[in-house]
Amino acid sequence: MEVTTVSGRRARHHVLTHGRESSLPIVMLHGFLGDMFSWQYCIVPLARYGRIMALDLPGHGRNLASWSGHPAGWLEDALDALEVSRCHVVAHSFGAWIALQGALRAPDRFASLSLVACAGLDSRFNLPLLRQALAADDLDKALAYAQSLAGRSCDSVPRMARHHLEQMGSAERRSILTEMLEDMIVTAASGEARTVNWEALPMPLRFFWSRDDRIVPLPESSSFPPEPDLVLNEDGGHIPHILRPAWLTAGIGDFLASLQRQPA
């Protein structure tokens, strides 16, 4: 695995790459308060289906830049900087919402979307908890947030809490993320923003959700496209890529393999 920085027209982009060159790379977008290493348990299993390119969203991980313009424009700039004309996307939560916006703007650039606990399909996501997470200034508060992410107590919670507390130690990062969260609240509260024109998305889509997700609960069926390709798991909380990576990578791998078997 290699982490590099590339310069786009609008921003610098930090990316973790792994695997052989492929005609259709797999671009991975983490969720709010995550980073490129959130995918650490999924990168190697999924690299058999294409070269992995996991990005840090603005304000996250190594990327301390603020958002500038629409998130779809940021994704377009990142793909241009990476010289990716078309790709598969695997994305989580807020990153999945960004992937949807990018696909609506430029559908020909996306061969498929694998969306994990996609934010923004309806108005139900745990904004008070995210505000508390941004205000966490001691280990107990960070532990409470990490346990809510997981949906239960587990061995991963203390490690996630310590990492979160370390990230929140930067006043600059906290300011960027607070502004981002409030912008996300405005967007999520907009009925127009939640209405996705699924007919404008010709690429195959597969959705993944844990039934015990406390951050972005499973939406009503009316929020999905007709007859959605929806894969459910009983647990994994909001972070199945961390707590149930074997289940998730099997589902994404099966999806990508089925597309690769299709005639060009």
Side-chain angles (χ1 to χ4, degrees):
M1 298 184 190
E2 180 182 13
V3 177
T4 56
T5 302
V6 295
S7 295
R9 296 185 305 277
R10 298 171 44 175
R12 289 166 60 82
H13 303 280
H14 304 264
V15 58
L16 183 157
T17 57
H18 179 69
R20 298 177 180 177
E21 295 291 341
S22 58
S23 58
L24 287 175
I26 300 169
V27 173
M28 307 186 81
L29 303 177
H30 62 79
F32 187 68
L33 300 181
D35 59 36
M36 63 174 71
F37 294 104
S38 300
W39 297 108
Q40 60 184 304
Y41 303 121
C42 301
I43 288 171
V44 172
L46 292 180
R48 64 182 296 187
Y49 304 101
R51 182 167 176 79
I52 299 295
M53 297 180 172
L55 287 157
D56 272 340
L57 300 183
H60 296 77
R62 302 183 181 209
N63 188 347
L64 281 178
S66 300
W67 281 105
S68 176
H70 195 278
W74 171 85
L75 180 54
E76 180 181 25
D77 188 63
L79 295 179
D80 288 346
L82 294 168
E83 300 181 350
V84 172
S85 59
R86 196 162 186 262
C87 62
H88 298 289
V89 171
V90 175
H92 172 242
S93 194
F94 184 50
W97 180 81
I98 293 171
L100 272 179
Q101 304 312 304
L104 286 166
R105 177 178 289 194
D108 290 344
R109 297 195 76 163
F110 301 89
S112 74
L113 300 179
S114 297
L115 304 177
V116 184
C118 182
L121 296 190
D122 65 17
S123 61
R124 297 182 306 149
F125 56 94
N126 198 331
L127 294 172
L129 180 66
L130 295 180
R131 285 193 176 118
Q132 292 170 19
L134 285 176
D137 56 4
D138 61 43
L139 186 57
D140 286 342
K141 293 175 183 177
L143 283 167
Y145 168 63
Q147 185 160 327
S148 294
L149 277 180
R152 56 187 170 82
S153 180
C154 63
D155 292 342
S156 299
V157 164
R159 175 178 54 81
M160 292 190 299
R162 289 191 295 270
H163 178 69
H164 176 70
L165 197 59
E166 179 183 341
Q167 294 295 299
M168 291 301 99
S170 165
E172 180 182 8
R173 185 190 307 280
R174 193 188 297 264
S175 175
I176 292 169
L177 293 176
T178 298
E179 180 181 356
M180 185 184 304
L181 180 60
E182 299 310 320
D183 287 345
M184 188 168 66
I185 291 170
V186 172
T187 300
S190 166
E192 180 180 353
R194 293 199 306 271
T195 303
V196 178
N197 180 10
W198 297 110
E199 293 183 356
L201 296 171
M203 73 290 297
L205 299 94
R206 178 170 285 187
F207 299 87
F208 298 85
W209 236 284
S210 301
R211 294 187 187 275
D212 64 343
D213 191 332
R214 297 181 185 178
I215 311 298
V216 182
L218 178 66
E220 300 293 334
S221 59
S222 58
S223 299
F224 291 100
E227 300 182 6
D229 184 353
L230 173 62
V231 183
L232 297 173
N233 197 34
E234 291 304 316
D235 62 5
H238 188 57
I239 47 173
H241 51 303
I242 296 174
L243 299 184
R244 292 289 179 265
W247 166 76
L248 184 62
T249 56
I252 296 173
D254 172 74
F255 181 50
L256 295 176
S258 70
L259 299 178
Q260 292 173 352
R261 290 193 296 267
Q262 294 178 4

